[in-house]
Amino acid sequence: MTWDVAIAGGGPAGLSAAIAIAQKGLRTLVVDRQHAPIDKACGEGLMPAGLAALQRLQVQIDPAETGRFTAIRWVQEDGRHVEAPLPPPGGLGIRRLALHQALRQRATEAGVEQREATIEGHAQTAAGVELKTSSGPVQARLLVAADGLHSPLRKAAGLERHSDGPRRFGLRQHFALEPWGERVEVHFAEGLEAYVTPAGARRVGVAFLWEDGQVPAPITFEAMLARFPLLQDRLASAPPDSKPHGAGPLLQHTSALRSGRLVLLGDAAGYVDAITGEGLSLAFDQAQLLASLLPEALDEPAKLFTYERESQRAFNSYARLASSLVAMARRPALRRAAINRLVATPAVFAFLLRHLTKPRK
């Protein structure tokens, strides 16, 4: 059979797109080489926009695998901090495995077929795309590349652009203890940040972000945690609840978001940095946008221009913010001065947070 849409990548981006597209009554196939459920290095925080998108997709997540947060706190090396509330209803920390399971379940309910297979190549035809997979050939009218940060399909389609600039990496691990507050904490040290997210009734996720060359070898979770004595004390008696999981380099650029009947979505469509916590929200918004153009764009692929234009607009807004925050984090003296100023004027931090994280319609 010929599928209306084939999606390469069964992570949150690919599955959210599959759900939104299947809700339009279109025959949808998801192909991923990894055995489900799929874990990944992720801060696991869903900001208000991402939470609203999940609700629109009618995705139900086990409450035991989540942790509510209503505020963001930035913490300096000396313990000084500034905190501000998120817009209602706040955010949710979600264990990545639980998120993936919930999305898979909702995709199944929506009529999406899911296959475990490796994509070995693709070719575009006048009517669609032909995929060569380890489980046999697949024909579809549209191919969505949601195959991650280092997307093989993006590279094969000639849509990858060299990313200049310092390389940044991430490493995440969980600890079995009750979260000590309904907030996400961002702890700063020179050349390194730690992100603390409630991810369950008795689970806290800790993710580090750093720039190549800023963390001395050997690079281990324990060595980076030692750079944050306040956080290390909090976690001292807590047993690990997962193994360390890494990702990077994070910065990825594209020359375009589509080529004929192939479109890029999620991390495959470009990535700047995890510093804003908006990666999942952007992917969910892209999924809804793409679905809104179907089925018309299946007959007239030129209409996918709207997807590229609006996705790029949203990405550029996120990229400007993320790049600015990374630049600030890279300059410890500037970062300390900026945060100390916010400590003295917390209303300014609250205004910025409210503006940057309000749910998108």
Side-chain angles (χ1 to χ4, degrees), residues 96-156:
R96 184 60 174 243
L97 289 169
L99 176 61
H100 191 247
Q101 289 172 325
L103 284 164
R104 277 178 55 83
Q105 177 62 35
R106 180 69 188 101
T108 299
E109 295 169 354
V112 176
E113 180 167 329
Q114 301 171 59
R115 293 184 190 173
E116 186 177 326
T118 300
I119 295 177
E120 299 168 344
H122 79 283
Q124 295 205 40
T125 67
V129 181
E130 295 180 350
L131 289 175
K132 180 183 178 182
T133 82
S134 58
S135 66
V138 171
Q139 293 182 326
R141 299 173 68 192
L142 178 69
L143 173 60
V144 178
D147 50 345
L149 196 64
H150 304 290
S151 166
L153 279 174
R154 179 182 66 209
K155 184 175 182 179

Side-chain angles (χ1 to χ4, degrees), residues 29-320:
L29 170 69
V30 173
V31 181
D32 197 293
R33 63 181 176 81
Q34 297 188 70
H35 183 69
I38 302 171
D39 203 0
K40 182 182 177 183
C42 177
E44 299 183 329
L46 265 181
M47 303 298 269
L51 189 56
L54 275 189
Q55 292 170 343
R56 288 193 296 270
L57 292 171
Q58 300 177 330
V59 176
Q60 302 294 322
I61 300 172
D62 181 357
E65 300 292 339
T66 68
R68 183 169 179 258
F69 58 87
T70 58
I72 304 293
R73 175 181 288 188
W74 284 0
V75 185
Q76 301 269 50
E77 292 95 329
D78 61 2
R80 296 188 72 191
H81 63 266
V82 59
E83 181 176 318
L86 287 167
L92 206 62
I94 302 174
R95 181 69 174 95
R96 184 60 174 243
L97 289 169
L99 176 61
H100 191 247
Q101 289 172 325
L103 284 164
R104 277 178 55 83
Q105 177 62 35
R106 180 69 188 101
T108 299
E109 295 169 354
V112 176
E113 180 167 329
Q114 301 171 59
R115 293 184 190 173
E116 186 177 326
T118 300
I119 295 177
E120 299 168 344
H122 79 283
Q124 295 205 40
T125 67
V129 181
E130 295 180 350
L131 289 175
K132 180 183 178 182
T133 82
S134 58
S135 66
V138 171
Q139 293 182 326
R141 299 173 68 192
L142 178 69
L143 173 60
V144 178
D147 50 345
L149 196 64
H150 304 290
S151 166
L153 279 174
R154 179 182 66 209
K155 184 175 182 179
L159 299 178
E160 190 161 274
R161 182 162 60 89
H162 178 70
S163 300
D164 293 319
R167 303 193 309 164
R168 294 251 294 174
F169 298 85
L171 185 67
R172 180 223 65 198
Q173 187 172 13
H174 300 91
F175 294 85
L177 80 162
E178 183 178 346
W180 53 85
E182 283 192 354
R183 60 180 176 265
V184 169
E185 294 183 357
V186 183
H187 295 249
F188 293 91
E190 289 201 21
L192 181 65
E193 305 110 56
Y195 298 76
V196 184
T197 306
R202 288 195 55 80
R203 182 186 300 117
V204 171
V206 179
F208 295 114
L209 291 179
W210 73 96
E211 193 171 291
D212 201 12
Q214 293 297 312
V215 176
I219 296 174
T220 66
F221 192 94
E222 291 74 18
M224 286 188 281
L225 183 59
R227 300 269 298 276
F228 300 92
L230 296 176
L231 185 55
Q232 189 177 39
D233 287 346
R234 284 276 194 184
L235 301 173
S237 60
D241 195 46
S242 69
K243 295 180 180 179
H245 207 117
L250 300 178
L251 185 63
Q252 302 293 324
H253 287 149
T254 62
S255 57
L257 297 189
R258 66 186 180 103
S259 175
R261 289 181 176 269
L262 179 146
V263 298
L264 307 180
L265 187 142
D267 292 352
Y271 199 81
V272 176
D273 203 88
I275 197 168
T276 68
E278 287 283 10
L280 288 172
S281 299
L282 283 169
F284 295 156
D285 284 350
Q286 283 182 325
Q288 295 277 3
L289 173 60
L290 179 60
S292 74
L293 301 174
L294 303 177
E296 289 81 3
L298 296 178
D299 297 319
E300 300 178 62
K303 291 188 175 181
L304 292 169
F305 169 74
T306 301
Y307 170 79
E308 182 168 40
R309 181 191 64 202
E310 296 303 317
S311 291
Q312 198 62 58
R313 181 180 299 171
F315 178 82
N316 289 341
S317 176
Y318 139 76
R320 284 192 295 270

